[in-house]
Amino acid sequence: MSTASINDWQEAVSADGKKFFYHKATRISVWEIPDDFKPPSNNSTIENSDWKEYKTEKGQKYYYNTVTGVRQWDIPAELQNLQQSKPIPSSPINNTPNNPNGNSNNNSTSPTSNKVTENIQPKEDPIQIFKNLLTDNSISSICTFEKALKQIVNDERYQSLKTMSERKQAFLDYQIDRKKFEQEEKRKKERKIKDDFIQLLRDSKEVTPLMSWRRASLYFEGEPRWEAVEVERERETIFHEYIMELEKKEKEQLLINKKDQMKLLRQKLETDSSITVFTQWRKVREQYEKDDIFQILDQFDFLTVFESYIRDLEKRLDDQKRVEKEKIKRECRKNRDMFREFLNEKYLGGEIHALTKWKNFKEKYENEPAYIGLSQRTLGSTPLELFSDFREELETKYENDYKKLKEIYKETEFKYTPETTVELLKTAFSKHQNFKQISEFNFLPYLEYLKYKEETKEKNLAKKRVSHFKQLLSDTKTISKSSTWDEVKPTLETKKEFIELEEPDRLNIFNSYIEYLVKKAQEEEEGNEEGELILSPKKSGGHDSSKKRRSYSGEGDEDRYYERDTHRERDRDRDRDRDRDRGRSYKKEKR
């Protein structure tokens, strides 16, 4: 074939329309165009090689093997060897007047050379040329390769690919792309048909949410846009979807209108000053029964707006109460702090201590502003509770020093007198080694303790002296109900019991004793008048006088009342101490 002349080849068409080539001398027929018969091209051909050089639309070089059909970007090794053995002739386009030898010079800065290079257009991809040929002939994706060849074989672009395998591969790629294109076109067409169908429904005023499918079929029969949807079931589906959309829009619009009316009703309720948090629904309904909004809105919606407004009023009222309550709490807290500061001030000033009683404190300071301000509050602690807490703290501190003070008092042999002051007590205790361990605020309560102890001792001695004198009167048999003090006094003035008492006390006790004898005699006389049996002193065992003595001297009325008060006070102190201990243990557990 290489020795054959180009004039010996002829182009012919077979009976089925396929193009083939026939050589006159050798009588050889081939489907592919022979190299000798190919028209000259701008592709770079390489002698003694099956590889050919091409350029893409962007000017990028690639290499194609005419025998194997392989394409690659990198220069083949065969071409590299040929280029090393024999330089590739430069393109005639570079043989400019500035370069008469035609040698390639990449570093040349000649303006003429740059201008010529810029005018060079890269060769189009042969595969794309072949695909464009198929597209121009409207070859579908389901067409066979043989049928496609009949339509494109006479086009010169058919020769862009040299081998049949290349054409078939390009055809398969084209079919894939064409199928995607056809599917997309089909979707667009179906979408347009559906949009036109929906637009038909929108343009018609007869279409409402209440329209049935049967009525719509009769109404739009013969309409092109209606008939464009060929499948009856699909047409019905689109119609029902549109009706559902209309129903949804209608419901949304109704909801918007209802919200607007409810908002307008809320504004009316807010401007009505007669409606308060205590207003009943029945009265509001009667008031707005003839209003236009009441006629438009459902009664349930009207009630919903009313309840929502009442809840907001209640919340607003609760917020006001909460603010007022917080204000009262702050004021109460402020009064408590002032009262605590007042207590601490009095404690530091020595006016109250661990043994101060609430009764004495209240009588002394109940007119103070700090006391009055706290006592008028209804929230929080009372003055008594704060005083008790403050006193417990002082008692805790005092208890730690009480034993030490008692020990110092015993070791220093200090004797308390009514004239003893805190300064004298500190001076007497200052000589002891434990003096510095005592808090200066605990000397006053200890002095009060010594004073109370001494007064209690004096009261007990006075009670004993009175008791002894009463016993003396009872034992003196010469005293009768008719005796006088002047008659009895000489008989008793030498007795110890007489000397221990003062004259006014002796006289008062004697008068009380005479009254007792008179009362006793009257009771006996009343008993005789009623017929009671009175035993003689001998038969009665002679215990009459002793009973009489015991009934008077064995504690008189005054002594019994005194002892009763003493016992009650002792019981109260014991109960108070027990309650205080319980309160301390509870506070410790709570902490």
Side-chain angles (χ1 to χ4, degrees):
M1 188 182 294
S2 62
T3 60
S5 173
I6 190 172
N7 297 325
D8 294 335
W9 286 98
Q10 290 182 356
E11 183 178 342
V13 179
S14 63
D16 57 357
K18 293 184 179 180
K19 185 185 292 187
F20 68 95
F21 300 92
Y22 174 73
H23 196 270
K24 297 177 181 180
T26 60
R27 296 184 178 181
I28 297 175
S29 299
V30 294
W31 292 105
E32 298 179 2
I33 182 172
D35 293 338
D36 297 339
F37 195 69
K38 290 179 179 179
S41 63
N42 294 331
N43 297 334
S44 298
T45 58
I46 303 172
E47 297 179 358
N48 301 326
S49 175
D50 297 330
W51 290 94
K52 293 184 180 181
E53 181 180 307
Y54 294 93
K55 290 184 179 180
T56 63
E57 296 177 354
K58 297 181 180 180
Q60 189 175 2
K61 291 182 179 181
Y62 70 94
Y63 300 90
Y64 172 71
N65 192 306
T66 58
V67 178
T68 61
V70 176
R71 294 184 183 86
Q72 64 183 42
W73 296 105
D74 299 332
I75 183 171
E78 181 181 349
L79 294 182
Q80 290 181 354
N81 296 332
L82 289 174
Q83 289 176 356
Q84 292 176 1
S85 60
K86 182 180 179 179
I88 299 175
S90 61
S91 176
I93 199 169
N94 290 330
N95 293 330
T96 61
N98 294 331
N99 193 7
N101 296 327
N103 295 330
S104 176
N105 187 4
N106 296 331
N107 297 326
S108 176
T109 59
S110 172
T112 306
S113 177
N114 292 338
K115 183 177 181 181
V116 173
T117 304
E118 291 176 356
N119 292 331
I120 296 175
Q121 297 295 332
K123 182 176 178 60
E124 190 175 359
D125 184 10
I127 297 176
Q128 187 62 39
I129 294 174
F130 188 81
K131 288 183 178 180
N132 293 338
L133 172 61
L134 296 172
T135 303
D136 294 342
N137 287 272
S138 301
I139 304 300
S140 66
S141 61
I142 60 175
C143 182
T144 62
F145 181 67
E146 289 75 9
K147 291 181 179 180
L149 288 179
K150 292 179 181 180
Q151 301 181 35
I152 65 174
V153 69
N154 294 325
D155 195 301
E156 62 179 4
R157 289 175 290 179
Y158 177 81
Q159 303 298 334
S160 62
L161 296 179
K162 305 307 178 183
T163 62
M164 191 61 67
S165 60
E166 290 179 349
R167 298 185 187 106
K168 185 170 287 188
Q169 182 63 39
F171 179 77
L172 293 175
D173 295 340
Y174 168 79
Q175 279 186 316
I176 295 174
D177 296 338
R178 185 68 183 184
K179 187 176 182 179
K180 293 180 180 178
F181 173 77
E182 290 175 353
Q183 290 177 350
E184 183 64 27
E185 288 296 321
K186 184 180 179 181
R187 282 194 293 270
K188 289 181 180 179
K189 183 179 179 181
E190 292 175 351
R191 183 62 186 173
K192 186 176 184 306
I193 292 174
K194 184 178 179 181
D195 293 341
D196 292 342
F197 185 89
I198 295 175
Q199 188 63 39
L200 172 64
L201 299 177
R202 289 176 179 170
D203 294 341
S204 177
K205 297 181 180 180
E206 298 294 328
V207 180
T208 63
L210 301 178
M211 192 175 193
S212 65
W213 163 247
R214 180 178 179 82
R215 182 185 172 192
S217 300
L218 296 174
Y219 183 79
F220 292 106
E221 186 177 4
E223 175 69 33
R225 288 181 289 180
W226 179 273
E227 299 295 340
V229 181
E230 299 176 354
V231 182
E232 182 76 12
R233 180 181 283 293
E234 183 179 356
R235 193 185 303 162
E236 184 179 359
T237 301
I238 298 174
F239 174 78
H240 286 307
E241 289 178 354
Y242 179 74
I243 293 300
M244 291 177 63
E245 183 181 355
L246 287 181
E247 292 177 350
K248 183 179 179 182
K249 289 182 178 179
E250 186 177 7
K251 289 181 180 179
E252 290 177 352
Q253 187 62 37
L254 290 175
L255 183 60
I256 292 173
N257 295 337
K258 185 174 73 172
K259 287 184 177 179
D260 292 339
Q261 295 298 327
M262 294 175 70
K263 186 176 181 181
L264 182 60
L265 175 61
R266 175 62 183 259
Q267 293 175 356
K268 282 193 173 185
L269 295 179
E270 289 177 351
T271 55
D272 192 347
S273 59
S274 62
I275 298 177
T276 64
V277 69
F278 305 105
T279 303
Q280 297 179 352
W281 157 247
R282 175 176 54 82
K283 295 182 179 179
V284 176
R285 184 181 59 186
E286 294 175 355
Q287 181 180 353
Y288 286 87
E289 192 170 6
K290 296 182 180 179
D291 196 285
D292 295 338
I293 298 180
F294 188 84
Q295 303 298 329
I296 296 173
L297 285 176
D298 184 76
Q299 188 170 356
F300 177 76
D301 297 332
F302 198 98
L303 177 60
T304 302
V305 176
F306 172 76
E307 290 179 344
S308 175
Y309 179 62
I310 294 300
R311 282 195 298 270
D312 292 343
L313 291 180
E314 291 175 348
K315 184 179 179 181
R316 199 178 307 163
L317 182 61
D318 292 340
D319 293 340
Q320 293 178 357
K321 290 182 178 180
R322 190 181 302 108
V323 171
E324 293 177 358
K325 189 173 182 180
E326 291 296 329
K327 182 179 179 181
I328 295 174
K329 283 184 178 180
R330 289 193 296 270
E331 293 177 355
C332 292
R333 189 181 300 112
K334 184 178 179 181
N335 292 130
R336 290 195 297 271
D337 294 339
M338 291 177 59
F339 189 75
R340 290 191 184 98
E341 293 177 359
F342 175 75
L343 292 175
N344 190 55
E345 180 183 349
K346 296 303 177 182
Y347 169 69
L348 296 177
E351 298 183 36
I352 60 175
H353 48 77
L355 301 182
T356 302
K357 294 183 179 181
W358 165 250
K359 181 180 179 180
N360 299 333
F361 176 84
K362 181 181 178 181
E363 292 176 353
K364 188 174 181 180
Y365 301 109
E366 62 182 353
N367 294 325
E368 293 291 335
Y371 183 93
I372 295 174
L374 183 60
S375 61
Q376 293 177 350
R377 297 298 177 185
T378 57
L379 294 177
S381 302
T382 61
L384 175 59
E385 292 173 346
L386 294 182
F387 175 81
S388 300
D389 294 339
F390 186 77
R391 181 181 171 183
E392 285 182 6
E393 296 176 2
L394 298 182
E395 288 177 351
T396 302
K397 297 177 182 178
Y398 175 70
E399 288 174 357
N400 297 331
D401 293 342
Y402 173 73
K403 294 182 180 179
K404 297 177 183 178
L405 289 168
K406 193 174 182 180
E407 181 181 355
I408 295 174
Y409 181 81
K410 183 178 180 180
E411 292 180 359
T412 55
E413 297 180 355
F414 180 78
K415 299 299 181 182
Y416 171 81
T417 61
E419 292 77 16
T420 303
T421 62
V422 177
E423 298 300 329
L424 292 175
L425 185 65
K426 287 182 179 180
T427 303
F429 286 3
S430 61
K431 301 177 182 178
H432 197 275
Q433 58 183 0
N434 295 332
F435 174 77
K436 294 182 179 180
Q437 299 178 7
I438 307 299
S439 174
E440 61 176 344
F441 299 104
N442 290 331
F443 286 99
L444 178 60
Y446 188 72
L447 179 63
E448 293 290 334
Y449 163 73
L450 295 177
K451 179 180 179 182
Y452 172 77
K453 185 177 178 181
E454 188 67 23
E455 291 176 352
T456 304
K457 183 178 179 181
E458 289 295 331
K459 288 180 180 180
N460 292 334
L461 291 176
K463 286 171 60 178
K464 287 182 179 180
R465 288 194 289 268
V466 171
S467 179
H468 293 164
F469 186 72
K470 288 180 179 181
Q471 186 65 36
L472 176 62
L473 295 177
S474 179
D475 293 340
T476 304
K477 298 180 180 181
T478 57
I479 299 175
S480 64
K481 63 179 181 178
S482 58
S483 301
T484 61
W485 174 245
D486 294 332
E487 296 175 353
V488 176
K489 183 177 181 181
T491 308
L492 303 176
E493 59 186 359
T494 58
K495 303 293 184 179
K496 179 182 178 183
E497 294 82 351
F498 181 90
I499 298 172
E500 290 177 348
L501 292 177
E502 298 294 333
E503 181 65 18
D505 296 334
R506 292 193 290 262
L507 182 58
N508 292 333
I509 296 172
F510 176 78
N511 293 333
S512 298
Y513 180 67
I514 295 300
E515 292 177 359
Y516 169 74
L517 293 179
V518 172
K519 185 177 179 181
K520 187 69 173 177
Q522 292 176 355
E523 291 177 355
E524 290 179 354
E525 292 178 358
E526 291 176 358
N528 292 334
E529 292 177 357
E530 293 176 358
E532 292 183 359
L533 180 62
I534 303 299
L535 299 178
S536 63
K538 184 177 181 181
K539 290 183 179 181
S540 61
H543 298 292
D544 184 59
S545 61
S546 62
K547 288 182 181 180
K548 180 183 68 174
R549 287 195 300 271
R550 281 197 300 271
S551 63
Y552 178 74
S553 62
E555 293 305 336
D557 295 338
E558 184 179 355
D559 295 335
R560 283 198 300 272
Y561 293 149
Y562 176 79
E563 288 191 359
R564 182 188 63 187
D565 295 339
T566 303
H567 290 313
R568 288 180 178 177
E569 185 176 357
R570 190 185 308 116
D571 292 340
R572 284 196 299 268
D573 293 340
R574 184 171 60 253
D575 294 339
R576 186 168 55 252
D577 294 339
R578 183 173 62 252
D579 294 339
R580 184 174 64 252
D581 295 338
R582 289 178 181 176
R584 289 177 182 174
S585 61
Y586 172 74
K587 288 184 178 180
K588 291 180 180 179
E589 292 177 0
K590 188 175 181 181
R591 292 172 184 171

